[in-house]
Amino acid sequence: RPEDFQVTELPLITPTGEGSHLWLEVEKRGANTDWVATQLARAAGCTARDVGFAGMKDRHAVTRQWFSLPQPPPDVDDWAAWQIDGVRILQAIPHGRKLKRGALRGNHFLILLRELSADTGQQERLQQRLQRMRDCGLPNYFGAQRFGHGGRNVSAGVRWLQSGGRLPRNKRSLYLSAVRSFLFNQVLARRVEQANWNLLLDGEIAALAGSRSVFVCQLPDEELSQRCRDFDLHPTGPLPGRGGMLPERRAAELENDVLQPYGDVIEALGKAGVDASRRALRLPVADLQWQFDDDGLKLEFTLPAGAYATTVIDELVSVAD
């Protein structure tokens, strides 16, 4: 049920109350973000391109997120009267700029897992997993939805990179994202296999928590290692492309060994104009709470921007069709 999966966006920017754009906090049920943006544009008399939002939100859910649009003309500015199926506008606040993609701190989740089948021993192990997740975080894999049904976006993306040709902008972005995410997951899987996904290696590119700042670590360095244990720093993995900072020494050896079979694909990503970047290998799960009751397992937690609730669920339970 949509109410079993509730998401509230945590904005990076608070609208000021003045300016040429109108920011709307919207609650949607059973609708995807692009569709809502199109409906808001129609109601406000602007184009869908003029509508801003920080990130995509799930369709099969109840989600709350912000949209921005140019201040509508006086004859359509009664936003409270706009009728959009499955959508409630909670508030509208003027601001000086359009809301940009990625301008969010994270997302808060309330999730109910129904039909949970677990005997006493399994439930105890599940409790242990939850506690470990709260204390240690979990591997920051890209979720299956990034790759399309059966991973088709990855294979299609590789074929396009190798053969070229024109693609619509949204499909090009989808394919490039899927390929880079696949490569990141390969590196993370090796780090999980070696039990060092949550540790700094010598030559590691570390990311400062809550920031895009990264730097190369020279180990041993007890201060850096302690900051990693304290979740102030995170080890990172590659989102390949052109340029970008490269790991050194032990971290470089591991990463190069994993990525060597994909050298042609990585070269093609650079030729396609994709800039390399880094992503944290570890995902902190903040404010994690849970409760077992007659309906199932209720979960509440907060994730940073770009992280997936399905990654949390996959670490806890096996989902049956």
Side-chain angles (χ1 to χ4, degrees):
R1 307 172 191 176
E3 288 77 14
D4 293 346
F5 196 98
Q6 299 185 38
V7 188
T8 300
E9 190 173 82
L10 304 177
L12 188 64
I13 300 169
T14 301
T16 62
E18 297 180 351
S20 58
H21 287 73
L22 189 66
W23 284 31
L24 307 172
E25 186 181 19
V26 169
E27 180 183 275
K28 63 181 185 65
R29 181 186 189 278
N32 67 47
T33 299
D34 279 331
W35 182 85
V36 173
T38 300
Q39 302 308 307
L40 290 172
R42 184 174 300 168
C46 64
T47 68
R49 186 179 302 175
D50 293 326
V51 178
F53 51 86
M56 306 293 285
K57 294 291 178 289
D58 302 81
R59 175 179 181 179
H60 301 291
V62 174
T63 69
R64 284 163 287 278
Q65 69 178 119
W66 286 86
F67 292 83
S68 74
L69 42 87
Q71 282 279 15
D75 59 332
V76 293
D77 67 355
D78 186 12
W79 56 266
W82 294 349
Q83 298 295 315
I84 302 174
D85 189 37
V87 171
R88 284 198 307 137
I89 299 176
L90 305 178
Q91 58 176 324
I93 306 174
H95 189 66
R97 295 182 179 181
K98 179 180 179 180
L99 178 56
K100 299 293 187 181
R101 291 290 187 99
L104 72 162
R105 291 187 292 113
N107 295 287
H108 184 73
F109 296 88
L110 289 170
I111 297 174
L112 172 60
L113 300 180
R114 296 182 183 274
E115 301 178 18
L116 184 68
S117 176
D119 60 29
T120 303
Q122 290 171 324
Q123 188 161 316
E124 289 177 356
R125 288 194 293 275
L126 185 52
Q127 294 264 26
Q128 293 169 359
R129 288 186 191 180
L130 285 159
Q131 186 64 54
R132 187 167 61 248
M133 184 181 293
R134 182 160 62 188
D135 294 342
C136 304
L138 68 155
N140 193 20
Y141 286 110
F142 284 98
Q145 64 266 50
R146 177 61 69 106
F147 306 115
H149 184 70
R152 292 175 185 168
N153 289 344
V154 179
S155 54
V158 170
R159 286 196 300 270
W160 174 72
L161 284 167
Q162 293 173 339
S163 62
R166 295 182 64 86
L167 281 176
R169 180 183 296 182
N170 63 334
K171 185 162 287 190
R172 180 183 186 276
S173 177
L174 193 70
Y175 286 171
L176 291 174
S177 177
V179 172
R180 300 173 80 212
S181 300
F182 169 82
L183 295 171
F184 173 89
N185 276 6
Q186 302 312 299
V187 173
L188 177 53
R190 177 71 63 84
R191 298 281 296 255
V192 169
E193 180 183 307
Q194 295 187 1
N196 57 28
W197 59 273
N198 57 349
L199 304 173
L200 296 178
L201 304 180
D202 185 33
E204 183 87 61
I205 299 178
L208 185 63
S211 162
R212 295 185 180 181
S213 176
V214 295
F215 61 93
V216 177
C217 298
Q218 183 170 343
L219 299 181
D221 186 318
E222 181 53 33
E223 180 182 353
L224 290 179
S225 297
Q226 184 61 49
R227 289 178 66 187
C228 183
R229 290 191 291 270
D230 292 341
F231 284 77
D232 183 43
L233 300 176
H234 300 294
T236 69
L239 292 170
R242 64 185 178 188
M245 186 179 294
L246 296 174
E248 301 174 4
R249 299 180 295 281
R250 183 185 174 197
E253 291 175 7
L254 185 153
E255 199 163 293
N256 292 338
D257 184 59
V258 175
L259 296 179
Q260 188 274 332
Y262 308 104
D264 291 346
V265 175
I266 294 172
E267 183 179 353
L269 284 167
K271 291 180 179 178
V274 179
D275 292 326
S277 60
R278 306 292 297 186
R279 170 182 166 94
L281 295 174
R282 178 174 58 183
L283 174 61
V285 185
D287 310 316
L288 176 60
Q289 301 179 54
W290 61 88
Q291 178 184 346
F292 294 92
D293 62 22
D294 293 339
D295 290 326
L297 173 61
K298 294 180 178 179
L299 298 170
E300 181 174 0
F301 54 89
T302 299
L303 296 180
Y308 293 85
T310 49
T311 303
V312 174
I313 295 170
D314 286 345
E315 286 290 313
L316 295 173
V317 297
S318 299
V319 180
D321 293 333

